[in-house]
Amino acid sequence: DILMTQSPSSLSASVGDRVTITCRASQYISSSLNWYQQKPGQAPKLLIYTASRLQSGVPSRFSGSGSGTDFTLTISTLQPEDFATYFCQQSYSIDMYTFGQGTKLEIK
Amino acid sequence: QVQLQESGPGLVKPSGTLSLTCTVSGASMSGHYWWTWVRQSPAKGLEWIGQIFHSGNTKYNPSLKSRVIISLDKAKKEFSVEFKSVTAADTAVYYCVRDALEIGGGEPTDWFDSWGQGVLVTVSS
């Protein structure tokens, strides 16, 4: 299985901050990397797909980059509604999709 | 706007069978989509269970394959998962998900673009 490792596991930040979350794959996955946001009691929500493409309706302060094994999710200017847990997911191995363990973004 | 809604019992006895159904509204079940089940538990995080295409083709997580069957009823716009011989380790929130497939000029790729709200299933006597 492709192991997805996110860092940090948790992060404290303030409204207005720029935040970057990293996801590393245990092997090459091209650009087959997706990012999701999950708030307590809710299902994950797609933010970014194929590493850098913004899902319709998602604010432009969210962006993604990377290819190969190293990827980042950036929130340019944190808003109060952005405090949540973020997950990466690889779709390169189509017979076994895997997720990162999550990064919990908390208010400082 | 596609919507997915899980239904099924919230409590299953150990060694029993867990059965859940997902009802799809607002979209056709045909097209370039895999209809997918994902579960989430504190111990294992988000875990892909398996998926089914409108043709009936299926793919399963190898670690779960011996216990899982996913089926589809296009007329009812439903797909289902059946999990046999459950244990406490199968306690989780189960989500039904639409996996959107893009087949373009480059490599095919896909992403989980729509999720049901999730249903908590507890395995306990």
Side-chain angles (χ1 to χ4, degrees):
Chain A
D1 299 353
I2 299 176
L3 179 65
M4 306 301 294
T5 303
Q6 290 181 232
S7 60
S9 295
S10 64
L11 174 61
S12 294
S14 302
V15 172
D17 284 353
R18 179 183 180 89
V19 166
T20 298
I21 298 169
T22 296
C23 179
R24 175 165 288 177
S26 62
Q27 63 188 72
Y28 174 83
I29 61 168
S30 186
S31 296
S32 299
L33 190 284
N34 308 311
W35 288 98
Y36 303 86
Q37 176 194 66
Q38 185 178 34
K39 296 181 179 179
Q42 297 183 17
K45 170 190 168 186
L46 178 67
L47 296 176
I48 302 284
Y49 59 101
T50 60
S52 61
R53 296 162 69 181
L54 191 67
Q55 171 70 345
S56 175
V58 173
S60 59
R61 62 181 180 272
F62 291 92
S63 64
S65 65
S67 66
T69 60
D70 294 315
F71 302 86
T72 59
L73 172 70
T74 299
I75 310 173
S76 60
T77 307
L78 267 178
Q79 298 300 305
E81 60 268 30
D82 300 337
F83 292 96
T85 300
Y86 293 85
F87 295 94
C88 61
Q89 174 247 335
Q90 64 81 19
S91 58
Y92 185 78
S93 175
I94 61 172
D95 292 324
M96 182 58 197
Y97 298 96
T98 49
F99 293 84
Q101 82 280 14
T103 296
K104 187 173 184 179
L105 178 54
E106 299 175 304
I107 301 174
K108 185 182 287 184
Chain B
Q1 180 78 354
V2 63
Q3 291 189 317
L4 298 93
Q5 178 67 59
E6 305 89 350
S7 60
L11 180 65
V12 181
K13 293 188 186 302
S15 77
T17 298
L18 183 164
S19 297
L20 297 172
T21 294
C22 182
T23 302
V24 179
S25 59
S28 168
M29 295 195 75
S30 298
H32 294 145
Y33 302 108
W34 285 87
W35 301 96
T36 303
W37 289 96
V38 172
R39 67 182 182 180
Q40 185 174 29
S41 64
K44 289 199 168 184
L46 286 162
E47 183 178 30
W48 174 74
I49 298 170
Q51 55 191 192
I52 188 165
F53 203 60
H54 61 80
S55 61
N57 287 357
T58 53
K59 295 188 285 181
Y60 297 107
N61 183 321
S63 69
L64 303 173
K65 185 175 184 177
S66 64
R67 298 193 294 126
V68 178
I69 297 173
I70 295 176
S71 58
L72 177 71
D73 187 331
K74 287 187 287 185
K76 291 185 176 180
K77 297 187 72 175
E78 294 178 346
F79 64 106
S80 301
V81 62
E82 189 175 276
F83 237 111
K84 299 180 181 178
S85 306
V86 296
T87 69
D90 295 310
T91 293
V93 176
Y94 286 76
Y95 295 102
C96 58
V97 183
R98 187 178 77 171
D99 179 7
L101 178 64
E102 182 177 83
I103 304 174
E107 299 173 355
T109 187
D110 56 321
W111 51 87
F112 299 154
D113 73 343
S114 299
W115 296 63
Q117 65 183 24
V119 59
L120 173 63
V121 179
T122 301
V123 178
S124 174
S125 55

